[in-house]
């Protein structure tokens, strides 16, 4: 089977690592990829939002399957173009992708289809948004409507900061993505990430994890795209997982199909475990980053049959995936300055062979003309480890972090604290 993987981050590196291990793969190409992904497949320099270029590439390599990593590719409409060309695609159409690409759409979708989520106000102008703050008990949650690379969310108890976030969004900080702002009720509880596959009709749970959103230890500092994950996460009890499946994941798949956009791919359901049960924080229309990394470490089953089954409507033919009875931890090494302006170009030296149970995924790296590995993004490396217990997995991950030379980098030192104390 010929497979084309789209993307260039740590999530895609972990997908490449797992796909490359499948005996079903004949030819494996990634676009645009990164130096870590290059260890597993051929790279082609086509950007993740260049739909025409990606379509030509899929045709050139006679792809049997295209796997979309990032949400920007979903938003660009690659799945739609591939559908017209008759090429199976793991990843939803642009219309189904609205579950991530518009927070206002998703809130209205939840109301329409009866999915539990927090109260909200959709605002089209700064004065309207500032007035809407009075409807909510602080801390305020202010979100740019569209895609903002994990930076469009501000949670603050400080009115002046809330108003500044509103001004930022309407002032163009996120471009068109901030032209609408959603103010949300602050949901109190513990947050969890659950993943479900769908082939347009049939759905299946595909693991869960917990992320650490804030930049610094003790859940301090600004929101990020995620500074580390672990799986399994005790917050996701079997009862809660069942509630998320029946109250959020399955109704979302049914609702989006009812709306005329059947879902093919993975849905990432980010929930708050509240006293009244799980409430939707947001949907994402792709694997979480860095949640995917810990899922790939724990996944015993071959990933490829699940990807192709989602793309071809054959998920009902497959058993549930088998997970290793082990824990996995991912620590994100970010460049100083992230999530603001990260320091670019810092030298990275990795150990020759990672220790047992350790995988280091590249998230934002490049090689310079001399072949030296350098930082090229906010989140730079994902240092992941698997072990019989969460504590051992965490210790292995931090030992691996300490063996990396990256003076411009920083990481949180408390990944897994809710489970480990
Ligand atoms: N880790 C959160 C995300 O992928 O959006």
């Amino acid at each position: 089977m010929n497979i084309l993987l789209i993307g260039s981050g740590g999530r895609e590196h972990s997908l490449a690592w797992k796909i490359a291990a499948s005996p079903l793969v004949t030819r494996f190409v990634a676009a645009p990829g990164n130096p870590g992904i290059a260890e597993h497949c051929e790279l082609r320099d086509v950007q993740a939002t260049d739909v025409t270029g990606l379509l030509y590439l899929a045709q050139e390599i006679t792809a049997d399957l295209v796997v979309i990593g990032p949400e920007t590719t979903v938003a660009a409409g690659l799945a739609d173009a591939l559908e017209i060309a008759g090429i199976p695609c793991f990843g939803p159409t642009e219309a189904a992708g609205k579950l991530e690409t518009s927070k206002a759409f998703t809130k209205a979708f939840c109301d329409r289809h009866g999915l539990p989520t927090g109260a909200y106000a959709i605002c089209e102008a700064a004065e309207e948004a500032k007035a809407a703050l009075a409807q909510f008990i602080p801390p305020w949650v202010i979100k740019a409507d569209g895609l903002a690379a994990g930076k469009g969310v501000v949670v603050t108890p400080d009115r002046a900061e809330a108003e500044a976030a509103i001004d930022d969004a309407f002032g163009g900080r996120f471009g068109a993505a901030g032209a609408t702002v959603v103010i949300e009720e602050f949901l109190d509880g513990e947050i969890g990430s659950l993943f479900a596959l769908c082939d347009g009709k049939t759905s299946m749970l595909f693991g869960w994890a917990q992320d650490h959103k804030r930049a610094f230890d003790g859940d301090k500092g600004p929101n990020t795209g995620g500074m580390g994950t672990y799986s399994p996460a005790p917050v996701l009890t079997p009862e809660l997982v069942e509630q998320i499946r029946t109250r959020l994941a399955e109704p979302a798949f049914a609702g989006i199909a009812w709306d005329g956009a059947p879902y093919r791919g993975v849905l990432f359901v980010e929930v708050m475990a509240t006293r009244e049960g799980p409430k939707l924080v947001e949907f994402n229309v792709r694997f979480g980053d860095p949640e995917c990394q810990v899922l790939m470490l724990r996944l015993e089953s071959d990933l490829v049959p699940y990807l192709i089954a989602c793309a071809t409507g054959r998920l009902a033919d497959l058993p549930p995936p088998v997970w290793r009875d082990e824990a996995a931890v991912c620590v994100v090494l970010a460049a100083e300055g992230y999530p603001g302006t990260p320091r670019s170009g810092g030298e990275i030296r990795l150990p020759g062979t990672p220790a047992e149970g350790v995988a280091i995924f590249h998230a934002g790296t490049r090689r310079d003309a001399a072949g030296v590995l350098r930082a090229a993004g906010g989140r730079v490396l994902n240092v992941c480890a698997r072990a019989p217990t969460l504590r051992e997995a965490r210790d292995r991950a931090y030992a691996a972090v300490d063996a990396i030379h990256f003076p411009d980098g920083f990481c949180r030192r408390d990944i897994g604290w809710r489970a480990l104390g």
Side-chain angles (χ1 to χ4, degrees):
M1 184 179 290
N2 295 341
I3 297 183
L4 173 61
L5 170 67
I6 315 300
S8 59
R11 165 183 48 215
E12 289 78 23
H13 188 179
S14 70
L15 289 170
W17 177 78
K18 191 69 186 162
I19 291 170
S22 171
L24 300 172
V25 178
T26 314
R27 185 169 181 195
F28 184 19
V29 177
N34 70 32
I37 295 173
E39 290 166 18
H40 307 288
C41 59
E42 289 170 63
L43 297 192
R44 298 295 280 275
D45 190 18
V46 183
Q47 294 309 301
T49 51
D50 177 358
V51 170
T52 307
L54 293 170
L55 177 61
Y56 285 157
L57 177 57
Q59 287 169 330
E60 180 202 320
I61 69 161
T62 56
D64 301 295
L65 174 67
V66 175
V67 180
I68 296 180
E71 63 277 15
T72 48
T73 308
V74 174
L78 181 62
D80 307 69
L82 291 167
E83 194 173 341
I84 293 165
I87 300 172
C89 175
F90 178 86
T93 57
E94 190 186 351
K98 281 226 157 29
L99 288 173
E100 173 165 5
T101 58
S102 170
K103 294 177 175 64
F105 170 90
T106 301
K107 285 293 193 185
F109 176 90
C110 288
D111 282 352
R112 209 163 56 243
H113 296 289
L115 278 67
T117 188
Y120 65 96
I122 295 171
C123 307
E124 309 286 349
E127 287 320 309
E128 183 193 356
K130 288 177 191 172
L133 292 176
Q135 298 169 31
F136 298 89
I137 300 167
W140 288 285
V141 183
I142 293 125
K143 295 185 174 176
D145 176 54
L147 297 180
K151 295 176 193 161
V153 180
V154 171
V155 181
T156 178
D158 185 289
R159 174 103 195 187
E161 247 181 64
E163 294 199 358
I166 290 168
D167 285 333
D168 262 3
F170 286 110
R173 177 160 177 225
F174 309 111
T180 298
V181 161
V182 181
I183 317 266
E184 292 185 10
E185 174 190 2
F186 175 78
L187 296 175
D188 203 10
E190 203 173 328
I191 206 160
S193 308
L194 178 132
F195 298 85
L197 302 180
C198 188
D199 67 0
K201 305 180 295 284
T202 302
S203 64
M204 181 185 284
L205 293 183
F206 207 70
W208 38 93
Q210 191 172 56
D211 192 6
H212 297 62
K213 293 275 186 206
R214 301 280 185 153
F216 309 127
D217 285 16
D219 288 336
K220 300 277 186 338
N223 250 4
T224 70
M227 291 300 289
T229 43
Y230 63 105
S231 174
V235 61
L236 289 149
T237 60
E239 295 72 30
L240 184 62
V241 166
E242 187 56 14
Q243 288 172 354
I244 300 169
R245 181 175 74 79
T246 55
R247 298 181 195 177
L248 285 165
E250 288 178 354
F253 292 134
I256 201 78
W258 175 262
D259 288 355
Y263 197 96
R264 288 182 202 89
V266 62
L267 184 69
F268 165 2
V269 187
E270 188 172 80
V271 293
M272 190 65 78
T274 73
R275 285 166 195 271
E276 298 108 59
K279 290 195 180 175
L280 183 73
V281 177
E282 46 189 61
F283 285 127
N284 294 298
V285 296
R286 34 73 190 181
F287 280 113
D289 188 348
E291 286 93 337
C292 186
Q293 291 81 322
V294 286
L295 295 186
M296 292 305 111
L297 251 75
R298 290 194 56 229
L299 183 63
E300 178 91 58
S301 307
D302 187 345
L303 174 64
V304 170
Y306 291 91
L307 302 177
I308 189 84
C310 285
T312 56
R314 308 290 298 266
L315 204 51
D317 297 347
L318 294 182
V322 177
W323 302 98
R324 289 169 183 267
D325 190 17
E326 288 185 305
V329 168
C330 171
V331 178
V332 171
L333 263 174
E336 284 295 349
Y338 177 77
T341 306
R343 194 177 302 160
S344 189
E347 185 181 345
I348 302 162
R349 286 203 298 272
L350 299 177
T353 317
E356 197 206 328
V358 171
I360 298 172
F361 298 122
H362 293 226
T365 69
R366 65 176 172 85
R367 286 203 189 277
D368 67 14
V372 176
L373 195 62
R374 298 200 175 271
R379 293 185 293 174
V380 176
L381 293 170
N382 304 143
V383 184
C384 304
R386 186 176 63 209
T389 67
L390 187 59
R391 191 170 297 278
E392 288 167 279
R394 183 199 58 180
D395 292 348
R396 271 187 186 174
Y398 280 114
V401 166
D402 292 336
I404 293 171
H405 173 88
F406 178 34
D408 282 357
F410 76 98
C411 67
R412 279 183 61 160
R413 286 273 162 190
D414 63 350
I415 300 304
W417 70 269
R418 283 184 189 274
L420 294 170

